[in-house]
Amino acid sequence: MTTHQPSPLFVPSLMRPLIIYKNLRPTRAKLALAVFVLSVVSLVLALHTLCTAKTQVFIYSSETSIYLNSDKSLIRTSLEQHEQQRLIQEVGNTDFESPRANQRPHRRLPHVLIIGVRKCGTRALLEMLNLHPRIQKASGEVHFFDRDENYLKGLEYYRSKMPESYEHQITIEKSPSYFVTSEASERIRAMNASIKLLLIVREPVVRAISDYTQLRSHSPTRSPSNASSPSRDMSFEELALRPDGTINESYRPIALSIYHSYMSIWLETFSRHQILIVSGDTLIARPATELAKIESFLNIEPRLGPRNFYFNKTKGFYCIKNASADKCLKDTKGRRHPDVDPDVISKLRRFFSLHNQKFYELGTKLNKVLSSWKRSYYR
């Protein structure tokens, strides 16, 4: 006898859920398909994440982060930027408002040094920079890093020679003999590896003649003569040239004008971006132009301009003008140079041309300064 299955329409209401559950119950094939679909979706998402993610790696320290990638030049550039940022933080913030009432000035070790060169305008540069509200200068040349008797007294002695300043201000000291002292660069680095340095240079022949003029004013250079005639002052030509007509490189004013022989030592100790080369010739002719470069180098607001200076026709150079009073350098500055044989000047300029090129090749980026030296004038 044939048994007929009842139609769903006629299935009792209590049995319908059981039939629906039986039809919807997952099978092994359905489970495997679901797992496969989920795996494919996960793989696609993972590949998408890898393709869009940046490959940079960041190393975080308590002070800053340094960006690294496979390009070594970018690593070097990033490290230089990191070092420069550290110096900016040490020099101070960019808030030019007056110090708060609860702030007190303190004597601080210098953030910036003018390291030379002698007879290139170091004093004028210091006095001009001191017009800026963010800058406090040491009153005299301390000679801490170039004289053993001072260096052995320690950093607290050096600090005692600095002016009082607020946290937002920069302390500057200048001693031109630092540049030509072999121990000075390492000693300065030991005090502050992030310090910024200003090096002011002039056309080498003009600098040498200016050096000779100052030396002669302090203690005349004498040359022994025969017993029947008195001793006499030696001229610049006699000191700069040997009897055979060659350049006397051992004469101190000549030796100090060979800048590259000293600059190489400083570049072994400090990064190039920590040293700014200032043109002493431009500072004399257009002081505001050079001072604007220094303000940018020190990351301070530009405050110094043509209104801060006036040309003194009597002295022949620019003097300082501010709200309180006008100020010129002492009479010992800007001495009149002696007349020097033009042939000797030409010979010296040919001699220095090679040394100037070596100075440029050290990476000092002095192309504009050097080109001005090539067409320089003697005054």
Side-chain angles (χ1 to χ4, degrees):
M1 186 171 93
T2 304
T3 304
H4 297 281
Q5 294 292 335
S7 173
L9 296 176
F10 298 99
V11 174
S13 60
L14 294 176
M15 296 191 62
R16 286 178 183 174
L18 297 177
I19 296 173
I20 293 172
Y21 169 76
K22 182 178 179 181
N23 293 334
L24 295 179
R25 187 175 56 188
T27 62
R28 291 184 179 181
K30 290 179 179 179
L31 288 173
L33 179 62
V35 170
F36 174 76
V37 171
L38 288 174
S39 300
V40 170
V41 171
S42 300
L43 180 61
V44 170
L45 290 175
L47 290 174
H48 176 73
T49 301
L50 290 174
C51 290
T52 58
K54 295 182 179 180
T55 57
Q56 295 96 346
V57 179
F58 290 85
I59 299 176
Y60 290 96
S61 65
S62 60
E63 295 181 355
T64 189
S65 61
I66 304 174
Y67 168 78
L68 302 176
N69 60 22
S70 59
D71 190 339
K72 293 183 179 180
S73 64
L74 289 179
I75 294 175
R76 187 182 304 108
T77 301
S78 179
L79 289 172
E80 290 178 353
Q81 293 173 349
H82 164 61
E83 187 71 11
Q84 187 172 10
Q85 184 62 32
R86 284 189 56 194
L87 178 60
I88 291 171
Q89 292 173 356
E90 288 187 14
V91 168
N93 56 44
T94 56
D95 183 6
F96 282 80
E97 297 179 357
S98 300
R100 294 187 296 271
N102 61 348
Q103 286 186 357
R104 291 186 177 182
H106 298 282
R107 298 186 188 276
R108 308 172 194 278
L109 293 173
H111 308 84
V112 180
L113 290 176
I114 300 176
I115 59 174
V117 176
R118 166 187 167 90
K119 303 310 300 174
C120 287
T122 56
R123 171 57 60 182
L125 176 61
L126 183 66
E127 295 296 337
M128 290 176 178
L129 287 174
N130 196 51
L131 290 173
H132 200 291
R134 278 286 301 274
I135 291 177
Q136 291 288 343
K137 68 177 178 69
S139 58
E141 297 177 3
V142 182
H143 292 285
F144 180 71
F145 298 104
D146 61 317
R147 295 181 181 175
D148 293 341
E149 63 270 23
N150 290 337
Y151 187 70
L152 293 175
K153 294 177 182 179
L155 288 177
E156 286 308 311
Y157 163 80
Y158 188 40
R159 188 193 304 272
S160 71
K161 299 296 182 180
M162 296 300 110
E164 291 188 340
S165 63
Y166 291 96
E167 290 185 2
H168 71 290
Q169 291 181 311
I170 299 170
T171 299
I172 295 184
E173 189 252 319
K174 77 104 177 172
S175 291
S177 52
Y178 289 163
F179 183 62
V180 297
T181 303
S182 57
E183 302 88 359
S185 62
E186 289 292 346
R187 289 175 174 179
I188 292 171
R189 181 176 176 80
M191 178 193 71
N192 182 0
S194 298
I195 198 167
K196 283 195 170 182
L197 308 172
L198 300 177
L199 178 68
I200 181 169
V201 296
R202 292 196 68 188
E203 193 278 321
V205 179
V206 174
R207 197 221 67 83
I209 296 173
S210 179
D211 204 350
Y212 161 81
T213 304
Q214 179 171 331
L215 291 172
R216 187 179 65 171
S217 69
H218 288 170
S219 55
T221 305
R222 301 289 180 174
S223 173
S225 58
N226 56 50
S228 61
S229 63
S231 59
R232 61 181 178 83
D233 291 343
M234 295 184 69
S235 67
F236 175 78
E237 293 90 335
E238 291 175 301
L239 294 168
L241 300 180
R242 297 190 181 95
D244 61 358
T246 58
I247 305 298
N248 183 10
E249 298 180 41
S250 63
Y251 180 46
R252 189 68 169 166
I254 299 296
L256 292 184
S257 289
I258 305 177
Y259 303 132
H260 71 86
S261 61
Y262 304 99
M263 187 67 180
S264 57
I265 297 174
W266 290 88
L267 290 176
E268 290 174 1
T269 310
F270 293 98
S271 300
R272 174 64 189 86
H273 74 267
Q274 290 179 255
I275 306 175
L276 179 68
I277 308 297
V278 180
S279 170
D281 300 297
T282 304
L283 188 70
I284 292 174
R286 300 183 302 279
T289 301
E290 285 302 292
L291 293 172
K293 296 176 184 177
I294 298 174
E295 288 173 322
S296 176
F297 176 69
L298 298 182
N299 194 49
I300 57 178
E301 179 180 311
R303 290 289 188 91
L304 305 178
R307 68 185 182 281
N308 298 113
F309 311 100
Y310 71 95
F311 188 78
N312 187 308
K313 294 182 180 179
T314 303
K315 291 182 174 291
F317 53 78
Y318 280 89
C319 297
I320 294 171
K321 179 171 60 177
N322 55 33
S324 58
D326 297 345
K327 179 181 179 181
C328 272
L329 297 179
K330 298 183 298 183
D331 291 337
T332 55
K333 303 297 181 181
R335 296 182 183 90
R336 181 177 177 81
H337 293 176
D339 294 328
V340 178
D341 187 342
D343 291 336
V344 174
I345 292 176
S346 298
K347 179 177 286 190
L348 286 170
R349 285 190 172 146
R350 288 193 298 271
F351 167 79
F352 279 115
S353 63
L354 178 61
H355 294 293
N356 294 342
Q357 183 61 31
K358 290 182 179 180
F359 187 34
Y360 172 75
E361 290 171 356
L362 285 175
T364 53
K365 299 180 181 179
L366 281 174
N367 51 335
K368 291 185 179 180
V369 176
L370 290 178
S371 62
S372 67
W373 287 354
K374 291 178 181 177
R375 57 178 184 273
S376 63
Y377 52 91
Y378 168 67
R379 63 176 182 271

